[in-house]
Amino acid sequence: MLIGYNQGTSLKNSNVETDLKYAEKYGFDFIEFQMSQLYKYLKTHSLKELKDFFGTSWIKPYSLNALEFFNLKTPEEFKEVKKKFIHMCEIAKGLDCGVIIIVPSKKMEGMSGEEVKKDSIDSINKLAHIGERYNIKLAYEYLGFPDISVNSFVQCYDIVQAVNRANVGIVLDCFHFYASGSKIEDLKNVDAKKIFVFHINDSRDLPLNTLQDSDRLWPGDGVIPLDKIFKVLKYIGFDGVATVELFNPDYWKLDPEKTIRVAMEKTKSVIWRYFQ
Ligand code: ZN
């Protein structure tokens, strides 16, 4: 199994150049960009410079994180979403980066699950159509928090299946999977090819409905049943990339080299029990 590094892990103590330098040094195969870091980088560098880096390194770009809060928009608001998405597609294409992660909006009062589903399907279809022109895949990442419109694995996978397009899949993020109270059985009948992105992390032992992104821990240091998740991933034949993605302010206090080195050590130690 190949291993990716998501810039969220060192979001506040690093930048694109530093992340790439150490992600390469510690043997990561892929990098997932956080848009805030990438936009900062592009203020003083060209896209070509970044592409040239990848031309001489084994580390490759995997995804852009993320088109946030794309659903439940008015037609006017959705025009802005589309504009942002097209810009991200252009960046992704310029880097030979094949995946853009899309993230749902907060719930709207009085809106039923069926209405959220219908809205998601319509919005994703419009974006996926644009993505096809750029040869970009869309990976739908639900957030496992109570106030988010799409907040469980089953709900998100149901939408992805209903959309039924080759370039639309799901993000399996262990933290969101756990925080949403999703069950291991929910993964057993999943088409492994539809898991476009796999985020590995762990969680503090707190009541599920109180968990925040800042409660993410190094893989193996928390209470998420990662062994069970890996077993079922192996069972369904998942053969994608595992990307370590945390947003823990304690890890942002470390030297970025240490953050990235530890991220690799911890991730490897969990993955290698099940995958080479
Ligand atoms: Zn994630």
Side-chain angles (χ1 to χ4, degrees):
M1 182 176 260
L2 298 173
I3 303 181
Y5 181 76
N6 187 297
Q7 287 196 290
T9 313
S10 51
L11 192 65
K12 305 288 182 187
N13 57 338
S14 191
N15 55 39
V16 167
E17 297 100 308
T18 307
D19 282 346
L20 284 171
K21 178 177 158 192
Y22 294 123
E24 188 184 49
K25 178 173 174 183
Y26 291 103
F28 284 96
D29 302 291
F30 290 98
I31 186 155
E32 291 194 9
F33 287 106
Q34 288 287 328
M35 290 314 291
S36 59
Q37 293 287 52
L38 195 49
Y39 286 136
K40 233 185 272 172
Y41 172 90
L42 290 172
K43 276 184 188 166
T44 50
H45 301 78
S46 68
L47 206 54
K48 181 172 181 307
E49 211 177 319
L50 193 51
K51 193 183 177 183
D52 288 347
F53 167 84
F54 289 120
T56 58
S57 173
W58 70 74
I59 192 166
K60 301 294 172 208
Y62 191 79
S63 78
L64 302 186
N65 294 241
L67 181 75
E68 288 179 318
F69 319 130
F70 72 92
N71 65 336
L72 307 183
K73 299 293 188 195
T74 64
E76 247 349 270
E77 288 167 341
F78 195 72
K79 272 186 202 161
E80 286 306 307
V81 170
K82 261 177 27 184
K83 226 161 103 182
K84 204 170 161 192
F85 182 68
I86 288 168
H87 188 225
M88 288 173 77
C89 283
E90 273 159 10
I91 292 174
K93 195 176 165 69
L95 293 175
D96 280 335
C97 173
V99 178
I100 293 178
I101 292 178
I102 59 170
V103 172
S105 307
K106 285 195 172 180
K107 276 179 183 163
M108 281 169 86
E109 204 154 328
M111 193 172 247
S112 71
E114 269 311 304
E115 286 168 307
V116 169
K117 179 176 173 179
K118 189 181 172 306
D119 175 277
S120 262
I121 293 170
D122 287 351
S123 307
I124 292 173
N125 269 319
K126 284 173 190 152
L127 297 173
H129 184 67
I130 297 168
E132 280 163 5
R133 295 206 310 257
Y134 290 89
N135 207 13
I136 297 288
K137 289 179 174 178
L138 288 74
Y140 198 0
E141 180 162 31
Y142 71 93
L143 308 181
F145 306 130
D147 62 339
I148 300 296
S149 58
V150 177
N151 63 3
S152 78
F153 184 85
V154 169
Q155 184 189 11
C156 192
Y157 190 60
D158 178 47
I159 291 167
V160 165
Q161 279 185 305
V163 168
N164 192 25
R165 292 176 92 116
N167 72 332
V168 176
I170 196 167
V171 177
L172 172 61
D173 180 306
C174 295
F175 176 80
H176 289 304
F177 187 80
Y178 176 74
S180 62
S182 295
K183 296 186 179 60
I184 297 294
E185 292 71 50
D186 299 340
L187 281 173
K188 280 195 178 141
N189 295 313
V190 166
D191 175 0
K193 290 191 190 66
K194 278 292 182 189
I195 302 175
F196 285 180
V197 177
F198 173 47
H199 285 163
I200 178 168
N201 38 50
D202 218 321
S203 173
R204 289 200 173 99
D205 189 8
L206 294 169
L208 295 186
N209 58 0
T210 68
L211 285 171
Q212 311 272 328
D213 274 323
S214 54
D215 294 315
R216 291 171 183 236
L217 299 173
W218 297 125
D221 282 9
V223 294
I224 299 180
L226 292 174
D227 283 4
K228 284 185 183 161
I229 292 176
F230 273 93
K231 246 186 216 168
V232 75
L233 285 178
K234 198 156 191 175
Y235 169 77
I236 64 174
F238 177 75
D239 191 24
V241 178
T243 298
V244 56
E245 183 200 48
L246 308 161
F247 297 96
N248 186 322
D250 293 339
Y251 305 157
W252 292 339
K253 288 179 194 148
L254 304 172
D255 179 78
E257 178 167 7
K258 185 169 182 193
T259 308
I260 294 168
R261 178 176 55 76
V262 175
M264 177 48 108
E265 287 168 4
K266 296 280 187 177
T267 304
K268 242 186 345 198
S269 74
V270 171
I271 289 177
W272 282 14
R273 287 181 219 152
Y274 291 94
F275 293 87
Q276 284 300 305

